[in-house]
Structures are given as C-alpha cells and as structure tokens.
Amino acid sequence: MTRVFSGVKPTGHLTLGNYLGAMRQWAAQDQHRSDALFCVVDLHALTVDHDPARVRRLSRQAASLLLAAGLDPELCTVFVQSHVDEHARLSYVLECVATDGEMRRMIQYREKAARERQRGGSVRLSLLTYPVLMAADILAYGTDEVPVGNDQTQHVELARDLAVRFNQRYGHTFVVPRATSPAVAARVMNLQEPASKMGKSDDVGPGIVYLLDEPDVVRKKVMRAVTDSGREVVYDREARPGLANLLEILAACTGRGPAELAGGYDSYGTLKKDTAEAVVEVLRPVQERHKELCADPGYVEGVLREGAGKARGMARPTVDAAYRAIGLLPPVHAAR
C-alpha cells in the first residue's frame, strides 16, 4: 500500500484551516486507501520561545482532535513525534547531507527569523534546521505521499532532495516522497486578513476559527469576515480574496465548487450567514467526539502508546540502514 505521513504542530489551537485543509481528508480518504501515519510533531514546537506546560497541553489536545476528526487507530497510526527516537536520530544524519544555503533559502525560516529579529529576540538554531527534522519525519517511514498545505510544499521538496542526494552518495536507502494537497480549501485564509493563512500560531484574533470555538463564536467571526469592494458575488481569488475565501470555505463544507456557489448569491450577508451555519455543522461532530475523548483520557493515552510502538517498529529499520550506509559503526550487543 501507499505509505502516507503527515502531522500537526502543537504551537496553537487547531483551526478550521487545519481541518478543511488536511485533517478531514486524512480521515475520509488517506487512512482508508493507504498505510497512513499521523503525528503530533511536538519537537517542531520547540523552535521558538514557548511555555513547556502549554506545549504538553496542546499536544494532548491535538492528539484528541485528530481522533475526534475521525482518525481510527485500527486503520492508521496516530502518535507523538517525541515518543519515537528515530526522528531525532535520523535528523542529525540528514543535517550531515543538507547544506547551510538550502536551510537559509527556506521561506518560512526567512519570514519567522525576520519577525523574531523585529521583536528584538534571538533566533534559535533549531528554527534554521527544523526542515531537516521534517525531512526525517517523512523519510524514516518510507513515505510515498505527504498531504500538506501549499505553504509546506517547499519542505517536502527538501525531503525529496535529501533523499536523492543520500541515495546517490551512500546507496539506495530512502523512498523519494511527493507532496499532495486537496483541490479545494488547501489553504484557508484568515477571515480578517485574507492574504494571510489562517494559522494556529496566532493565538488570538477574530479572523481565526478554532475547532473548539462555540457555535455562536463561529457565527460571529464569519459574519464579521472582511469582504471586498463591489456588490456582485463572484469567485476571483486574485481580485476578490476576501469573498473568495468565504466561497472556498463554503465549498469545502458543502462539496460544491466555489464558482458554482457564487452564482447563487446576490448579497454578501446571505453568503456569510450560510457559510457560518455550514462551518458550525461541519465542526459539530468533531466537538462532540472531542468531549467524549476528554472524558476518557486513558483511551487517548493508550492510542498514543500503541501508535508510538507501531511507528518505532516501522522507522527503526530505515534509520538503522541510514546509519550503516553513512558509515557509522553498528552497536556491539552483549553476548547472551
């Protein structure tokens, strides 16, 4: 079967963008058609200043929401990145294959580093090198496909480059992965700033719909969404980004096309109302299941424990092979 790997980073509360752009597809399609692994990539949350207790809390919440979104541990592997040592083991080996120039060309590094410097803070080395850890996340499992948003495709390209380079230098060890993304709502934008992604790292803001927002909060945020000049409801991502964002969200919730939906509206108000109600209904079963999981924390812990064991068993042979290929001496085990 095709091997699929993807993950969520616990740097903030998961959003509607995470769900429509990734998690829903993982549950509805990827776990059924492939050998799929889904991971809470908590090591990536350490690349910036953080509260340790908050990272732990958000990691547990993210794991619960993955299950609430429909991931079935009988069909896929759900685990936490730091519970599987092979991620960190392989990351250093791949750092010995990557180059400084490649890291500094990463768009997210340049943007995040610039923001950090503007605030007068220092930039952690891990912010520069974390794309290599992401590559290790992917390559450790012999991944064929990585379902990601448009903003992460550059990192999958890096994983491809490192896999090819390692294979050429040291012998065939890694599968060369490819990025995949859904056709609609691959990137849900901020309701107040439609030129910016609806990112979970931005902890507050009326433009971000969180998966655990109450229905009235969701309605208020959608009804206050920024639209564009002009009265005609048309789908034009370049000229009418605010309107296009609403149409794409409604399209993702209803299964219809955004351009088709635009033809059925003659006012922004009606479109906003319908979009708000569609989002509330899409989130309702996720929120209900999340409440059930919070009442049974032992179940979630058991899923993560078993998932880490399965993931470890899949990753270790590949990482051990990479260690041998690059020239590291195998460990000497005591005679029995």
Side-chain angles (χ1 to χ4, degrees):
M1 295 180 68
T2 299
R3 177 69 57 81
V4 168
F5 177 94
S6 198
V8 293
K9 185 165 59 174
T11 52
H13 298 287
L14 297 182
T15 72
L16 179 67
N18 297 123
Y19 182 67
L20 295 181
M23 294 163 63
R24 187 172 64 168
Q25 176 175 299
W26 298 349
Q29 300 179 27
D30 294 329
Q31 69 174 342
H32 296 282
R33 68 174 181 83
S34 61
D35 183 8
L37 300 99
F38 300 106
C39 181
V40 179
V41 286
D42 54 343
L43 294 175
H44 292 294
L46 310 184
T47 59
V48 294
D49 189 34
H50 63 278
D51 174 11
R54 185 170 184 270
V55 171
R56 284 191 291 270
R57 184 172 64 253
L58 289 175
S59 295
R60 284 192 292 267
Q61 184 184 88
S64 297
L65 282 169
L66 288 176
L67 298 173
L71 294 186
D72 184 347
E74 297 296 321
L75 298 175
C76 65
T77 304
V78 181
F79 66 105
V80 176
Q81 179 190 34
S82 63
H83 295 176
V84 180
D85 293 345
E86 278 64 31
H87 291 255
R89 288 180 61 207
L90 183 56
S91 182
Y92 179 73
V93 168
L94 293 178
E95 283 185 14
C96 298
V97 179
T99 68
D100 176 76
E102 284 176 315
M103 296 302 97
R104 296 188 185 280
R105 285 195 296 271
M106 292 288 119
I107 294 172
Q108 288 202 8
Y109 167 74
R110 293 189 303 195
E111 292 177 347
K112 291 180 180 179
R115 287 198 297 269
E116 195 66 32
R117 293 189 182 102
Q118 285 177 354
R119 290 196 293 262
S122 59
V123 179
R124 299 186 181 189
L125 178 61
S126 56
L127 185 62
L128 178 66
T129 61
Y130 93 90
V132 179
L133 176 58
M134 183 180 293
D137 299 338
I138 296 166
L139 299 181
Y141 297 100
T143 301
D144 299 295
E145 296 180 3
V146 187
V148 293
N150 295 336
D151 59 322
Q152 293 292 336
T153 55
Q154 187 184 35
H155 292 151
V156 180
E157 287 301 313
L158 175 68
R160 289 173 56 85
D161 292 342
L162 295 180
V164 170
R165 189 177 307 152
F166 190 100
N167 291 346
Q168 290 175 344
R169 290 180 181 177
Y170 306 112
H172 185 78
T173 305
F174 298 117
V175 173
V176 180
R178 61 184 179 276
T180 61
S181 61
V184 177
R187 197 178 189 196
V188 178
M189 312 306 281
N190 189 298
L191 294 174
Q192 292 296 316
E193 301 175 24
S196 302
K197 176 184 173 183
M198 186 183 286
K200 62 182 178 299
S201 297
D202 304 321
D203 282 339
V204 295
I208 305 170
V209 175
Y210 297 104
L211 295 188
L212 297 179
D213 276 347
E214 294 291 335
D216 285 347
V217 174
V218 173
R219 293 185 181 100
K220 184 178 295 185
K221 288 179 178 180
V222 175
M223 293 304 294
R224 293 179 177 177
V226 169
T227 50
D228 313 283
S229 59
R231 296 183 177 181
E232 186 181 5
V233 178
V234 294
Y235 178 63
D236 187 332
R237 165 55 71 183
E238 296 300 321
R240 312 281 288 278
L243 186 57
N245 190 37
L246 288 171
L247 288 166
E248 288 187 355
I249 291 171
L250 182 58
C253 291
T254 61
R256 299 172 63 188
E260 173 194 356
L261 286 167
Y265 291 95
D266 55 14
S267 73
Y268 292 165
T270 305
L271 171 62
K272 287 183 175 182
K273 182 177 179 181
D274 286 355
T275 302
E277 292 306 318
V279 171
V280 167
E281 289 307 310
V282 161
L283 295 185
R284 190 185 307 280
V286 177
Q287 295 178 350
E288 291 175 352
R289 177 58 177 152
H290 180 260
K291 289 180 182 179
E292 295 173 357
L293 292 169
C294 288
D296 188 8
Y299 172 75
V300 177
E301 291 173 2
V303 168
L304 296 179
R305 182 172 56 252
E306 293 180 13
K310 289 172 59 180
R312 197 176 299 116
M314 285 186 271
R316 184 164 295 168
T318 299
V319 177
D320 285 350
Y323 270 50
R324 290 192 300 270
I326 205 168
L328 298 178
L329 190 67
V332 178
H333 299 287
R336 294 185 179 179

